[in-house]
């Protein structure tokens, strides 16, 4: 239960008390700052508390945005200020200071009756203390504290002139979304979100329903029949509708949570990659082996996301407004002024809505092979387009990369014990390398091991030799802080090298089960890499080093797979890949579930990322 402390007597005819109770607040009234301070001290430490001016006039949704958002420890709107448990101490200090100031200025009252503007004064005091007070964008919503009857009547007329529910529904839709989602999903999915909210459903329940629907779609695709493919396409779209609905439900009802953000992000990847596997199984029933295409699609999509993650983390700490000024950025800004180009540029990067719509239609109308060909071509173009633009921006970047950004890139590199051990002796030569040499070393080492795996075939020693060289180049690439202009390319180059090596060796084995086993291994490792990103974004840092060491780091896994291919027969290699995939999956899933569930239980700040990549 949350507590709202009204400062002063409620105005006759005001709906404020009812609005606060509808938002889950227990309403108490304070006649002055001293009584408000006493009431605040009496609220249990684990509860949210709000101080609200009794004269407040505004929309219920303005109060909801200002007082109930779980992502922020402190928040304020005109006439109201709130604190979650972690922000209670700062709120109490600000209120005590205001109480002392009021009592000092008016000793006869002791601060008991002067409550006008107390909530706003507390918010100002919090700002003066350097507290991070969130102030939501209210748009057309009204939130004001009128000082006289005329102003109050005008405020009430302003409230009546704006449909609170229409604004709430509109704000449930992500501000920046793809063309397909904006025009073919959101116009009705927002109403599904409202229906769910009115029946007490949570975003996590909708997220789980979306996952189950996608898994059923994958099962339909695995039948290999035309009817199964048609059903799979329809169910994939239904899953995407639910995927949009869960976020809209979270925004509509402000039901953000740490666990929910993790489920939403990881289930998106699980749904897509399970569907790829279903298509591959369905194709196999029809006599067509497309496992290499399915694995290639997963590799390309995952590496494309790592480019997004690395670039964003590399530039997350910029404080210089001109840091990312470049001809590319200037051109992008100019194009933003031409409406149709905005949608074209959003569509050509093939975001999740466009991508799933394409996959669904092609699944229903064509074959899995054609679906994967189109997917690979579209994702390759999108990856080239976005990566080229980011490289151009980075080359003209002026700001110095922060230590936090360098640490994040090092965590995304996922270096294991071999690279760690060699990085120390390689620090001196690494410091002498020019700036662009670091990503070049990572790229050349990765290209060498993948090209060797492709060209020398299965069973020879040369891929293992190239893997040893890859260990050295990987250690050299991370031996110094990743602070160069293009050092954000190191993690995606390392991802491409690892996944590409596994794909090439499994394809070279040319036995039944090798590529599905490789698919499982890459899926497990990719989950570990996504989990690393979500932890960094949530401010929790990377997974523990013991986990990274236990699963070998990227360079260790490349070396192990290469040595296994050199020492084992193709059937034995398939079994070894399967065992490795199961071991990695169990380790990373156990640690990931433990971390996110415990973070949710201890009340870690809720996360809701509007910038989730395609």
């Amino acid at each position: 239960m949350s507590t709202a402390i009204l400062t002063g007597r409620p105005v006759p005819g005001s709906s404020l008390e009812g609005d606060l109770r509808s938002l889950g607040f227990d309403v108490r009234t304070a006649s002055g700052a001293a009584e408000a301070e006493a009431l605040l001290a009496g609220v249990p430490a684990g509860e949210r508390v709000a101080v609200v001016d009794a004269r407040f006039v505004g929309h219920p949704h303005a109060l909801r945005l200002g007082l109930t958002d779980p992502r922020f420890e402190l928040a304020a709107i005109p006439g109201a200020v709130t604190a979650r448990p972690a922000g209670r101490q700062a709120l109490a200090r600000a209120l005590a200071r205001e109480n002392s100031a009021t009592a000092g200025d008016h000793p006869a009252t002791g601060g008991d009756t002067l409550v006008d503007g107390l909530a706003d004064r507390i918010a100002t005091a919090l700002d003066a203390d350097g507290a991070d007070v969130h102030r939501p964008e209210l748009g057309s919503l009204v939130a004001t504290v009128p000082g006289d009857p005329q102003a109050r009547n005008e405020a009430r007329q302003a409230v009546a002139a704006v449909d609170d529910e229409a604004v709430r529904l509109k704000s449930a839709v992500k501000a920046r979304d793809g063309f397909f989602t904006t025009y073919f999903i959101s116009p009705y999915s927002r109403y599904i979100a409202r229906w769910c909210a009115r029946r007490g459903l949570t975003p996590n329940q909708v997220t789980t329903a979306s996952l189950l629907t996608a898994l059923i779609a994958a099962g339909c695709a695995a039948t290999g029949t035309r009817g199964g493919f048609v059903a799979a396409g329809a169910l994939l779209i239904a899953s995407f509708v639910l995927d949009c609905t869960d976020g809209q439900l979270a925004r509509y009802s402000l039901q953000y949570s740490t666990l929910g953000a993790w489920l939403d992000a990881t289930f998106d990847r699980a749904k897509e990659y399970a569907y790829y596997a279903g298509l591959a199984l369905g194709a196999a029933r029809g006599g067509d082996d497309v496992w290499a295409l399915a694995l290639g699609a997963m590799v390309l999509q995952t590496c494309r996301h790592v480019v997004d993650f690395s670039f964003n983390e590399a530039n997350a700490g910029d404080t210089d407004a001109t840091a990312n000024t470049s001809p590319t950025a200037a051109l992008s800004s100019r194009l933003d002024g031409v409406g149709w180009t905005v949608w074209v540029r959003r569509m050509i990067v093939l975001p999740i809505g466009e991508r799933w719509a394409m996959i669904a239609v092609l699944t229903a109308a064509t074959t899995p092979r054609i679906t994967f060909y189109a997917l690979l071509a579209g994702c390759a173009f999108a990856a080239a387009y976005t990566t080229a633009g980011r490289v151009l921006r980075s080359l003209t970047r002026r700001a110095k990369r922060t230590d936090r950004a360098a640490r994040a890139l090092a965590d995304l590199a996922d270096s294991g014990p071999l690279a760690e051990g060699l990085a120390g002796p390689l620090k001196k030569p690494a410091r002498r390398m020019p700036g662009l040499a670091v990503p070049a070393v990572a790229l050349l080492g990765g290209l060498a091991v993948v090209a060797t795996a492709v060209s020398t075939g299965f069973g020879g020693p040369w891929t293992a030799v190239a893997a040893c060289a890859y260990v050295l180049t990987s250690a050299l690439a991370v031996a110094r802080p990743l602070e160069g202009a293009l050092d954000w390319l190191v993690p995606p180059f390392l991802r491409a090298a690892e996944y590409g090596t596994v794909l090439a060796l499994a394809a070279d084995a040319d036995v039944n089960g090798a590529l599905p086993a490789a698919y499982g291994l890459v899926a497990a490792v990719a989950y570990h890499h996504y989990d690393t990103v979500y932890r960094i974004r949530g401010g929790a840092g990377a997974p523990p080093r013991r986990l990274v060491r236990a699963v070998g780091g990227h360079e260790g896994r490349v070396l192990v797979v290469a040595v296994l291919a050199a020492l084992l027969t193709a059937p034995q290699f398939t079994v070894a890949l399967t065992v490795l995939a199961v071991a990695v999956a169990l380790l990373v899933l156990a640690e990931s579930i433990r971390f996110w569930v415990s973070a949710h239980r201890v009340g870690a700040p809720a996360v809701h990322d509007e910038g989730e990549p395609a």
Side-chain angles (χ1 to χ4, degrees), residues 173-178 182 332 336 342-343 345-346 610-611:
V173 178
K174 191 184 294 185
R176 180 181 175 86
D177 226 330
T182 299
S332 178
D336 284 341
V342 175
W343 291 116
R345 285 182 291 139
R346 290 188 191 179
E610 298 286 359

Side-chain angles (χ1 to χ4, degrees), residues 262-263 265-267 269-270 273 298 302 499 520-535 543 547 584-585 587-594 596:
W262 171 65
L263 289 176
T266 54
F267 281 9
R269 305 286 82 81
Y273 300 152
M298 181 166 66
T302 304
Y499 302 159
L521 176 59
V522 172
V525 174
Y527 175 86
H528 166 57
H529 292 145
Y530 280 115
D531 188 55
T532 300
V533 169
Y534 302 139
R535 293 193 194 208
L547 175 66
V584 172
L587 285 170
V588 299
L589 280 172
E591 164 57 27
S592 177
I593 293 171
R594 181 207 64 78
W596 289 103

Side-chain angles (χ1 to χ4, degrees), residues 11-31:
V11 176
S14 172
S15 63
L16 180 58
E17 288 189 72
D19 291 339
L20 289 170
R21 290 194 177 95
S22 71
L23 297 177
F25 285 93
D26 177 26
V27 180
R28 304 177 187 179
T29 302
S31 60

Side-chain angles (χ1 to χ4, degrees), residues 107-475:
T109 65
D112 286 335
T113 59
L114 299 175
V115 292
D116 289 355
L118 179 60
D120 290 335
R121 295 202 306 273
I122 292 172
T124 302
L126 287 169
D127 290 332
D129 287 342
D132 186 10
V133 181
H134 171 67
R135 287 178 170 80
E137 291 289 337
L138 298 180
S140 59
L141 295 175
V142 176
T144 185
V145 180
D148 56 66
Q150 181 179 349
R152 173 170 293 278
N153 288 334
E154 292 173 354
R156 285 175 172 172
Q157 291 172 8
V159 169
V162 175
D163 187 341
D164 178 272
E165 180 61 18
V167 172
R168 188 181 178 190
L169 272 174
K170 183 178 180 180
S171 64
V173 178
K174 191 184 294 185
R176 180 181 175 86
D177 226 330
F179 180 85
F180 179 77
T181 304
T182 299
Y183 290 103
F184 292 90
I185 304 296
S186 293
Y188 57 88
S189 62
R190 69 184 75 182
Y191 295 101
I192 300 176
R194 182 172 66 180
W195 183 89
C196 293
R198 291 177 175 177
R199 282 153 184 81
L201 297 177
T202 67
N204 290 353
Q205 291 171 331
V206 178
T207 300
T208 303
S210 175
L211 173 66
L212 294 175
T213 304
L215 293 179
I216 295 171
C220 291
T223 63
T225 63
R226 177 52 51 195
F229 288 147
V230 172
L235 286 170
L236 188 63
I237 293 297
S239 175
F240 182 65
V241 172
L242 292 173
D243 183 54
C244 294
T245 300
D246 65 1
Q248 291 167 356
L249 174 58
R251 285 182 287 272
Y252 180 84
S253 57
L254 299 186
Q255 294 185 73
Y256 304 115
S257 70
T258 301
L259 184 63
W262 171 65
L263 289 176
D264 185 50
T266 54
F267 281 9
D268 277 352
R269 305 286 82 81
K271 288 180 288 189
E272 188 165 4
Y273 300 152
Y275 191 82
Y276 293 174
L279 280 178
L281 288 170
R285 286 179 176 273
D288 190 12
D289 186 357
V290 297
W291 274 107
L293 296 178
L295 181 50
M298 181 166 66
V299 169
L300 180 57
Q301 189 62 21
T302 304
C303 291
R304 176 188 167 195
H305 280 163
V306 177
V307 169
D308 295 335
F309 296 141
S310 294
F311 179 79
N312 291 337
E313 289 301 326
N315 298 284
D318 281 345
T319 56
D320 182 357
T322 65
N324 288 313
T325 299
S326 68
T328 307
L331 176 60
S332 178
S333 297
R334 287 197 296 272
L335 289 175
D336 284 341
V338 184
W340 64 269
T341 67
V342 175
W343 291 116
V344 169
R345 285 182 291 139
R346 290 188 191 179
M347 292 173 67
I348 62 177
V349 300
L350 209 62
I352 189 169
E354 277 74 359
R355 190 167 69 252
W356 282 28
M358 180 185 75
I359 294 171
V361 170
L362 291 177
T363 297
T366 63
T367 65
R369 180 172 290 273
I370 292 174
T371 301
F372 280 123
Y373 280 152
L375 179 63
L376 286 165
C379 288
F381 178 80
Y385 170 80
T386 56
T387 304
R390 287 167 178 172
V391 167
L392 291 174
R393 290 180 185 232
S394 297
L395 290 174
T396 55
R397 183 177 180 274
R398 300 178 186 176
K400 186 179 186 298
R401 184 150 294 144
T402 64
D403 291 339
R404 178 204 172 280
R407 284 195 302 273
L409 291 178
D411 291 333
L412 290 175
D414 191 36
S415 299
L418 294 177
E420 279 185 337
L422 292 171
L426 292 174
K427 281 184 179 179
K428 286 186 177 179
R431 290 194 185 100
R432 300 191 195 102
M433 293 166 54
L436 298 182
V438 171
V441 165
L443 174 62
L444 292 175
L447 284 175
V449 69
V450 174
T452 304
V454 170
S455 60
T456 60
F458 182 83
W462 293 111
T463 301
V465 173
C468 291
Y470 173 74
V471 172
L472 288 172
T473 58
S474 300

